């Protein structure tokens, strides 16, 4: 409606007439507004942000033509404007050297379309091309993840997740997956990353189960059982419930040996 009002004003229509055309009866609108601001309860969303960020920490430099095209490709991909995104991706990836953001935009579109193998290949190109996107590194790690991975695959995933967490420290999924893979590899302490994921998203049962699996590998069965039971209490889907119950049973069995 605001767009319609601006268009009418731009066309030379009187402002009062344009307001009536766009918004209808302004008195009824005013009544709704008064009732809204007079409420005692309001809906809101809490967002955790970094309060110490300073403008000076973001250096300025001109973008190359390929980088500008990559940035536009990401914007159009985020808006799901596929035709515009595809054109910008072509400009970004055909340049010499190609812009990593062009491959990332391509990966996002393919991922959204459910083309996992093609998306993975595009994420690979983005990361190899020097993408600094923490999400690109996280998503590539998750697409590489599979049952019965060898150590080389897990080591590659760990490297990707370390980059993801360095870029976006407050990304809970990256922290949880990094904790899991470090526990599997035995290359470092994984539990703090799982704990951080829980602190960032305490309502997600999967992060409790990650912590439980790490503790079970450490043979800390009482702590593992506590985390698994907390996760079980948070599950909402039948699949998650089966996973949590199976983990509780596995911990109890290991503890009884």
């Amino acid at each position: 409606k605001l767009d319609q009002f601006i268009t009418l004003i731009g066309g030379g229509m009187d402002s009062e007439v344009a307001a009536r055309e766009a918004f209808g009866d302004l008195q009824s609108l005013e009544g709704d507004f008064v009732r809204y601001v007079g409420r005692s309860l309001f809906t809101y969303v809490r967002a955790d942000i970094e309060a110490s960020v300073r403008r000076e920490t973001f250096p300025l430099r001109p973008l190359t033509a390929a980088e500008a095209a990559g940035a536009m490709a990401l914007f159009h991909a985020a808006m799901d404007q596929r035709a515009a995104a595809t054109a910008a991706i072509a400009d970004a990836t055909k340049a010499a050297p190609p812009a990593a953001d062009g491959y990332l935009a391509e990966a996002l579109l393919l991922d959204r379309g459910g083309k996992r193998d093609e998306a993975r290949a595009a994420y690979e190109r983005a990361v190899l091309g020097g993408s600094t996107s923490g999400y690109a590194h996280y998503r590539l790690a998750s697409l590489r993840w599979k049952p019965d991975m060898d150590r080389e695959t897990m080591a590659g995933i760990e490297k990707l997740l370390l980059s993801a967490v360095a870029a976006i420290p407050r990304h809970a999924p990256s922290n949880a997956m990094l904790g899991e893979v470090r526990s599997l590899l035995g290359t470092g302490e994984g539990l703090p990353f799982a704990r951080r994921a829980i602190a960032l998203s305490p309502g997600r049962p999967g992060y409790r189960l990650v912590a439980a699996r790490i503790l079970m590998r450490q043979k800390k069965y009482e702590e593992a059982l506590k985390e698994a039971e907390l996760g079980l209490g948070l599950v909402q889907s039948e699949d998650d419930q089966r996973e949590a119950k199976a983990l509780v049973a596995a911990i109890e069995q290991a503890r009884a040996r």
Side-chain angles (χ1 to χ4, degrees):
K1 291 186 177 182
L2 181 59
D3 288 343
Q4 181 186 359
F5 175 69
I6 293 171
T7 300
L8 293 173
I9 289 291
M13 183 177 289
D14 179 77
S15 60
E16 292 187 5
V17 177
R20 285 196 298 271
E21 286 287 334
F23 302 112
D25 184 1
L26 290 177
Q27 287 188 339
S28 64
L29 183 64
E30 182 179 2
D32 290 338
F33 176 75
V34 170
R35 283 191 292 274
Y36 175 78
V37 299
R39 295 187 305 169
S40 57
L41 295 175
F42 291 87
T43 57
Y44 69 95
V45 174
R46 176 176 174 172
D48 293 327
I49 61 172
E50 180 57 65
S52 62
V53 174
R54 295 180 179 276
R55 184 183 183 89
E56 294 77 15
T57 61
F58 298 95
L60 300 178
R61 67 170 179 82
L63 294 176
T64 66
E67 289 173 329
M72 288 303 298
L74 284 176
F75 171 78
H76 290 307
M79 298 295 291
D80 204 24
Q81 298 170 342
R82 292 179 174 267
T86 301
I89 289 167
D91 291 338
T93 56
K94 290 178 181 177
D101 281 347
Y103 294 126
L104 176 54
E106 179 185 17
L108 293 171
L109 291 178
L110 291 166
D111 213 354
R112 194 176 299 156
K115 300 177 179 178
R116 291 173 59 90
D117 292 340
E118 295 174 57
R120 173 179 165 172
Y123 283 120
E124 295 277 7
R125 290 193 291 271
V127 170
L128 287 173
S131 174
T132 58
S133 165
Y135 181 79
H137 288 77
Y138 158 74
R139 185 58 180 146
L140 178 55
S142 67
L143 289 172
R144 285 186 184 179
W145 192 283
K146 58 184 179 182
D148 303 321
M149 295 178 290
D150 58 31
R151 289 189 63 83
E152 184 179 358
T153 300
M154 287 192 286
I157 288 173
E158 181 187 28
K159 183 178 179 181
L160 287 168
L161 292 170
L162 284 168
S163 297
V165 168
I168 39 175
R170 299 180 67 82
H171 188 238
S174 296
N175 280 279
M177 190 180 294
L178 179 57
E180 186 86 83
V181 76
R182 296 198 96 184
S183 171
L184 290 167
L185 280 169
T187 53
E189 187 63 45
L191 189 59
F193 293 100
R195 295 283 191 215
R196 185 188 295 174
I198 292 169
L200 290 168
S201 297
R204 294 290 296 274
Y207 304 151
R208 293 283 183 183
L209 302 186
V210 170
R213 286 192 292 268
I214 293 172
L215 288 163
M216 183 172 68
R217 294 184 193 109
Q218 296 174 348
K219 302 187 186 313
K220 297 178 180 179
Y221 300 122
E222 295 300 330
E223 295 178 60
L225 188 59
K226 179 181 177 181
E227 290 291 350
E229 288 175 341
L230 286 170
L232 180 58
L234 293 170
V235 299
Q236 295 182 345
S237 72
E238 291 184 3
D239 289 343
D240 288 344
Q241 187 177 60
R242 279 193 294 271
E243 180 186 1
K245 285 183 175 180
L247 181 56
V248 168
I251 295 169
E252 289 177 338
Q253 185 178 4
R255 182 180 60 173
R257 289 172 186 165

